[in-house]
Amino acid sequence: MPYDLEELEKFRLSGRILREAREEMRSYIKENMSVLEVCERAETLIRAKGGFPAFPCNVSINEVTAHYTSPPNDTSVIPAGSTVKIDMGVQVDGYVTDTAFTVAFNPEGRNMTATAELALKTVIDNIHDDMSTGHIGGIIETVIRNHGFKPISNLTGHSVGRYLIHAGTSIPNVASLAANKVCVGDVFAVEPFVTHYDALARVDDSPQTTIFRMVRAKSVKTAYAKQMLKYIETSFRTLPFAERWLTNIVPKQHHAEAFKELLQSKIVTSYPVFIEASRRPVAQAEHTLLIKKDGCEVLT
Ligand code: MN
Ligand code: MN
């Protein structure tokens, strides 16, 4: 077993906080709502329940597939008739759980959402110790294609760990020959993404970046960059963060230059926003699972 009982209890607590926050968010999301308000609401709920956001709340709308969180002073709103993916994470003492759901304000989006949820449920009902990750991808792809849609081929689920969102093993969303196995005691996030049958069904990087992560600690030149880096190291360690989480860390007039210095010195890296290559809307569902001998425990 890679995790002892005490560690598993921390994963369970992390998952419980995340599940409660997610269910409150599910009924909260409305058309024309401010995206920034949605992000802050999710993160506030997580903190109020005793967890920490493991990454900024992602609000990815229509063809924007993943990795969008509100930049500082974001004025965007949830468009009427859109398909909105909310992806949230919690860490408790570093133990990460990850979940996502979709709210669709249009009939086809609701169909894609139901299909993503069914693909996820089918994995939950069938997964067990020693199953290959390629086989899991096959389960996901079969359900999605049987419903007349396509899975996004270049986004995957992933093992999670302590202070790690992506702990090394991927779970594809399409059938593959990947021979990695899931084993008793492993913790995995499984996340099918569903799009139109005639879409390219893969994501491209957009030039926009809204989520960041510290990748190395090395010395920086200016005092303000130093101060900002220290805050990042203590508050987020190696976990992703949003620029809006850094407001008031250094005097306002020095924020932009300090943040730029951390990016340019490659101490902090950024994640591009992912967009479906043919600009088709995408739905997503995600849970974090603890693998058992004959099945799994849904932590979220
Ligand atoms: Mn996620
Ligand atoms: Mn994930």
Side-chain angles (χ1 to χ4, degrees):
M1 295 262 294
Y3 297 107
D4 63 29
L5 281 176
E6 198 181 327
E7 292 178 300
L8 287 181
E9 280 313 305
K10 287 174 181 169
F11 270 120
R12 288 192 176 102
L13 175 60
S14 168
R16 200 152 60 229
I17 291 167
L18 184 53
R19 175 167 64 238
E20 286 181 18
R22 180 194 61 222
E23 291 313 305
E24 289 183 43
M25 288 307 291
R26 208 189 279 279
S27 49
Y28 176 80
I29 312 290
K30 301 279 184 292
E31 291 165 296
N32 302 314
M33 198 173 253
S34 137
V35 173
L36 179 57
E37 190 185 317
V38 172
C39 292
E40 287 181 340
R41 171 78 178 181
E43 293 158 9
T44 301
L45 275 172
I46 288 168
R47 292 192 184 96
K49 291 171 190 297
F52 297 92
F55 51 84
C57 175
N58 290 206
V59 179
S60 304
I61 296 168
N62 294 336
E63 72 274 19
V64 176
T65 307
H67 292 176
Y68 182 90
T69 195
S70 280
N73 312 312
D74 191 7
T75 55
S76 63
V77 295
I78 292 176
S82 60
T83 298
V84 186
K85 298 159 290 297
I86 307 289
D87 197 325
M88 311 163 60
V90 165
Q91 60 103 345
V92 169
D93 190 27
Y95 295 90
V96 170
T97 53
D98 185 359
T99 195
F101 65 96
T102 301
V103 181
F105 300 103
N106 64 89
E108 187 166 50
R110 280 192 286 273
N111 278 339
M112 294 199 302
T113 301
T115 302
E117 285 169 359
L118 182 63
L120 179 56
K121 184 180 186 301
T122 308
V123 171
I124 290 168
D125 290 345
N126 289 283
I127 201 168
H128 55 74
D129 178 40
D130 211 37
M131 188 181 270
S132 78
T133 57
H135 181 80
I136 298 168
I139 293 173
I140 293 170
E141 178 168 15
T142 301
V143 171
I144 294 173
R145 289 193 182 267
N146 283 347
H147 285 78
F149 295 114
K150 253 190 200 171
I152 297 286
S153 59
N154 62 343
L155 288 179
T156 67
H158 47 95
S159 52
V160 297
R162 190 163 186 231
Y163 291 107
L164 284 175
I165 308 285
H166 215 301
T169 307
S170 296
I171 300 204
N173 285 318
V174 292
S176 102
L177 297 175
N180 303 311
K181 305 269 179 121
V182 300
C183 297
V184 174
D186 287 342
V187 184
F188 276 98
V190 177
E191 47 184 315
F193 289 85
V194 173
T195 190
H196 289 186
Y197 73 95
D198 61 350
L200 287 170
R202 57 177 171 77
V203 293
D204 288 338
D205 292 355
S206 101
Q208 190 178 28
T209 57
T210 61
I211 298 176
F212 305 89
R213 185 168 71 88
M214 187 186 77
V215 281
R216 83 199 73 191
K218 67 176 193 190
S219 60
V220 284
K221 276 187 250 130
T222 69
Y224 290 124
K226 215 167 276 177
Q227 197 176 325
M228 192 178 268
L229 178 59
K230 192 161 178 9
Y231 181 80
I232 291 169
E233 262 187 289
T234 23
S235 309
F236 320 127
R237 299 208 197 183
T238 49
L239 290 171
F241 61 89
E243 189 180 353
R244 61 189 158 75
W245 290 0
L246 300 176
T247 38
N248 306 323
I249 305 306
V250 302
K252 220 185 178 113
Q253 67 273 29
H254 297 290
H255 171 92
E257 66 191 81
F259 193 54
K260 196 170 149 199
E261 186 178 337
L262 296 183
L263 282 167
Q264 284 181 341
S265 56
K266 299 197 160 51
I267 289 168
V268 166
T269 190
S270 58
Y271 293 87
V273 172
F274 289 141
I275 304 197
E276 201 287 315
S278 45
R279 306 295 188 261
R280 295 311 191 91
V282 179
Q284 174 200 17
E286 180 176 24
H287 275 304
T288 303
L289 315 178
L290 168 65
I291 308 303
K292 300 277 185 91
K293 184 92 193 80
D294 300 308
C296 72
E297 177 182 331
V298 181
L299 295 174
T300 47

